[in-house]
């Protein structure tokens, strides 16, 4: 393993063992999105609170593999404080990175760059993207709307 790969692995394990912003809140101002990944048992719920165009809070909870759970923690850490537009651009950029499309390395990805290697393991792509897809979906919904999938 080279040093960079080792660093990326450490970032993923750190967020897996010590998840940031974990636990859902019971607040109608938050938008909630739940996604399951049957191929690996990942089951994740993301909540976001956007006010005056700013992502004020992101919460996550669920069960799953280290890739899935840690990526929800990384997502929440990165998104809080961003504008809604920045958050959407960042989500798109991340999803492009995971699916092997051209993406902007320099664009706020920070710890999320640790998931670049997932591109080599197509079976894990879903694990690395469901939290981000759920978050993207919350940005497109109004507060109080909840759906189950
Ligand atoms: Zn998984």
């Amino acid at each position: 393993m080279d040093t960079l790969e080792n660093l990326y692995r450490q970032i993923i394990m750190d967020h897996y063992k010590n998840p940031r912003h974990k636990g859902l809140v019971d607040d109608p101002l938050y938008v909630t999105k739940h996604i399951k990944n049957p191929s690996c048992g990942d089951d994740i719920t993301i909540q976001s609170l956007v006010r005056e165009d700013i992502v004020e809070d992101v919460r996550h909870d669920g069960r799953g593999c280290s890739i899935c759970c840690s990526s929800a923690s990384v997502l929440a850490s990165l998104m809080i404080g961003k504008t809604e537009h920045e958050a959407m651009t960042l989500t798109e950029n991340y999803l492009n990175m995971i699916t092997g499309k051209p993406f902007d390395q320099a664009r706020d990805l920070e710890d999320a760059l640790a998931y670049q290697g997932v591109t080599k393991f197509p079976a894990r792509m879903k694990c690395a993207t469901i939290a981000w897809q759920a978050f993207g979906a919350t940005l497109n919904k109004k507060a109080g709307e909840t759906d189950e999938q």
Side-chain angles (χ1 to χ4, degrees):
M1 236 189 313
D2 66 31
T3 325
L4 189 61
E5 219 169 302
N6 200 24
L7 171 72
Y8 285 166
R9 183 165 173 77
Q10 278 173 27
I11 291 171
I12 292 170
M13 288 319 287
D14 179 43
H15 278 274
Y16 181 56
K17 288 181 183 153
N18 309 296
R20 276 65 136 187
H21 314 287
K22 189 174 161 115
L24 302 178
V25 293
D26 187 11
D27 181 336
L29 289 175
Y30 283 71
V31 183
T32 302
K33 179 74 182 174
H34 174 221
I35 301 189
K36 281 183 190 171
N37 171 18
S39 69
C40 140
D42 299 329
D43 183 318
I44 212 106
T45 303
I46 298 286
Q47 291 182 313
S48 70
L49 173 65
V50 178
R51 258 197 302 222
E52 316 229 326
D53 196 38
I54 300 290
V55 180
E56 284 192 3
D57 197 14
V58 178
R59 308 292 309 176
H60 62 97
D61 203 5
R63 294 176 305 279
C65 63
S66 57
I67 300 276
C68 170
C69 293
S70 64
S71 69
S73 170
V74 169
L75 163 87
S77 307
L78 284 178
M79 292 302 181
I80 295 170
K82 297 269 190 299
T83 67
E84 196 170 10
H85 179 74
E86 284 168 344
M88 279 177 176
T89 309
L90 182 51
T91 302
E92 208 173 296
N93 198 33
Y94 176 86
L95 294 175
N96 284 343
M97 175 180 81
I98 299 295
T99 52
K101 294 183 189 143
F103 69 100
D104 184 352
Q105 289 249 12
R107 192 154 195 146
D108 292 334
L109 282 166
E110 301 176 35
D111 281 359
L113 282 170
Y115 298 87
Q116 278 187 83
V118 171
T119 310
K120 288 181 265 173
F121 306 96
R124 309 311 297 278
M125 270 183 199
K126 183 90 182 168
C127 303
T129 53
I130 62 170
W132 290 68
Q133 278 165 350
F135 173 73
T138 68
L139 294 181
N140 294 315
K141 293 201 297 174
K142 288 186 190 72
E145 272 183 44
T146 302
D147 69 1
E148 287 292 316
Q149 239 188 34

